Every structure is written in structure tokens, then in C-alpha cells.
């Protein structure tokens, strides 16, 4: 996942906006108490998500893959006062952990948690979205995208995380590696789909920004 030196990563963090105290505490507690803490967006990517949200000024946000809630709180930083963030995850054991930190933020009442399979939940959301963040099981990225596009407002932004997949997208493909196979197909889809325009950013493990036309 590290495509640049630790020294440069440290320099980048030091010359970007400081991590808010609430998120620093969430970051620390995730590493202390939750499995696979490297899944957390973290300081730098979190500030990128925050900045993008502040530029977009979304009313309705959808997040697929809550984990411990770090990225949801980053995205809320740019949400309009009357906005709502819907976040979906399958891990029941993390719901209370997420809610505890959501309720410490200014946006607790505006964050709606959904527990279950995103493929089942997305069709039930009667909302048009301005901003979507996809950061869940890679095998379903294409399926999520196809469900999301009809629910986007024109000019809305779809963010897709982990699209470089630790560099595996440019390595010889292992026939048994289904996640990489799907991500290769997904990246091509975003490049060629006439419904969106896309730029792939080498941020952390790869972050694609797709604007709905």
C-alpha cells in the first residue's frame, strides 16, 4: 500500500491539515480494539475526503463500508446543514462503536447507520446522492456502481477506494485472485463508461474520483 517512502508520507501529513482531535481519538481506539486497523482511512486520506466533501458541499452522502466510522466523519465535514449521511456495513459488532463516535461529533443526528448487505439496502434508499464513497468488498464494486449511478444527482461525485490494490493491478494476474480481477474490470469501466468522467489518484491505496455526467 506504500508507494512512496515513509519520509515523504510523514512530510505530506505534516504539511496537510491537522487531524481533528475526535478523529485522532477514533484512530487510536480503532488500533487498540478492532481487528485489521489498517483498513482505517487515516489522517492524510481522511483530510483528502474532508477537502473533497467541502468542495462538493453535498446534501446527501452514501458510504458503502463504514468500518469504525472515520471516513464517514470526514465526509460529514463538508455536508450541508440539512444534509444526511447514510452508511452501510455488515459488521454488527461495530455498530455501537461507530455510534459512540458519531454521537460525539456535530453530525450524530444526521448519520443513518444501515446494517446488512449493501446490495440489498441501496435499492431501498429513496434518495438522490451528491457524494458516494465506495470502500467495501472489492468483488462487488461493479455491482455497487451500477446500483448507485441511477441514484446520483447530475454532477455528483463517486469516490472509490483501494483501486490500486497494493499495486496488484499492474502485476501478472493470479487466476485465483478474484478481487484484483474485478478491480481491473472496475477501473476500465470507470475509464470508459460514458455516464462518468474519472481521474484515478495515487492516494494511499488508490482513490478514484468519478463525476456523474
Amino acid at each position: 500500500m506504500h508507494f512512496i517512502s515513509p519520509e515523504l508520507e510523514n512530510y505530506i501529513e505534516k504539511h496537510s491539515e491537522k487531524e481533528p482531535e475526535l478523529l485522532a481519538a477514533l484512530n487510536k481506539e480503532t488500533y487498540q480494539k478492532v481487528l485489521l486497523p489498517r483498513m482505517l482511512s487515516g489522517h492524510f486520506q481522511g483530510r483528502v475526503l474532508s477537502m473533497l466533501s467541502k468542495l462538493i458541499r453535498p446534501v446527501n452522502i452514501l458510504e458503502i463500508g463504514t468500518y469504525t466510522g472515520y471516513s464517514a466523519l470526514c465526509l460529514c465535514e463538508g455536508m450541508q446543514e440539512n444534509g444526511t449521511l447514510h452508511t452501510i456495513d455488515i459488521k454488527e459488532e461495530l455498530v455501537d462503536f461507530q455510534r459512540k463516535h458519531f454521537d460525539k461529533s456535530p453530525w450524530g443526528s444526521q448519520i443513518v447507520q444501515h446494517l446488512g448487505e449493501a446490495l440489498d439496502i441501496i435499492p431501498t434508499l429513496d434518495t438522490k446522492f451528491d457524494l458516494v464513497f465506495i470502500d467495501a468488498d472489492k468483488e462487488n464494486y461493479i455491482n455497487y456502481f451500477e446500483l448507485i449511478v441511477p441514484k446520483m444527482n447530475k454532477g455528483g461525485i463517486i469516490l472509490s477506494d483501494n483501486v490500486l490494490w497494493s499495486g496488484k493491478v499492474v502485476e501478472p494476474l493470479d487466476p485465483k485472485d478474484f478481487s484484483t480481477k474485478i478491480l481491473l474490470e472496475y477501473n476500465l469501466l470507470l475509464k470508459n463508461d460514458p455516464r462518468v468522467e474519472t481521474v484515478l489518484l495515487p492516494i494511499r491505496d488508490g482513490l478514484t474520483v468519478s463525476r456523474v455526467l
Side-chain angles (χ1 to χ4, degrees), residues 154-158 194-199 209-213:
K154 186 176 180 180
I157 299 294
I158 301 171
R195 296 172 294 179
V196 296
E197 58 179 349
T198 291
V199 61
V209 180
S210 302
R211 177 176 175 268
V212 178
L213 301 175

Side-chain angles (χ1 to χ4, degrees), residues 76-185:
C76 281
E77 291 180 32
M79 184 170 63
Q80 295 190 34
E81 290 184 4
N82 62 333
T84 302
L85 181 142
H86 293 267
T87 184
I88 305 171
D89 206 282
I90 60 171
K91 291 185 170 62
E92 185 175 1
E93 66 273 19
L94 291 178
V95 170
D96 291 341
F97 186 101
Q98 297 158 6
R99 177 47 60 185
K100 178 180 72 171
H101 290 280
F102 290 160
D103 286 344
K104 289 180 181 178
S105 79
W107 311 284
S109 63
Q110 296 168 268
I111 299 174
V112 180
Q113 294 165 283
H114 299 271
L115 178 64
E117 296 288 345
L119 293 178
D120 298 327
I121 293 169
I122 294 169
T124 70
L125 301 177
D126 186 21
T127 303
K128 284 283 191 176
F129 293 100
D130 307 297
L131 177 59
V132 173
F133 183 43
I134 306 175
D135 186 18
D137 55 313
K138 313 312 162 193
E139 294 87 349
N140 276 309
Y141 266 35
I142 294 173
N143 295 327
Y144 295 146
F145 178 78
E146 294 296 350
L147 285 175
I148 288 165
V149 171
K151 291 181 173 290
M152 297 295 296
N153 284 318
K154 186 176 180 180
I157 299 294
I158 301 171
L159 304 173
S160 308
D161 201 15
N162 304 116
V163 291
L164 295 179
W165 208 223
S166 299
K168 292 181 182 179
V169 291
V170 293
E171 297 173 357
L173 180 63
D174 180 346
K176 298 178 182 178
D177 187 352
F178 190 61
S179 294
T180 301
K181 178 179 181 292
I182 291 297
L183 281 172
L184 288 167
E185 294 175 5

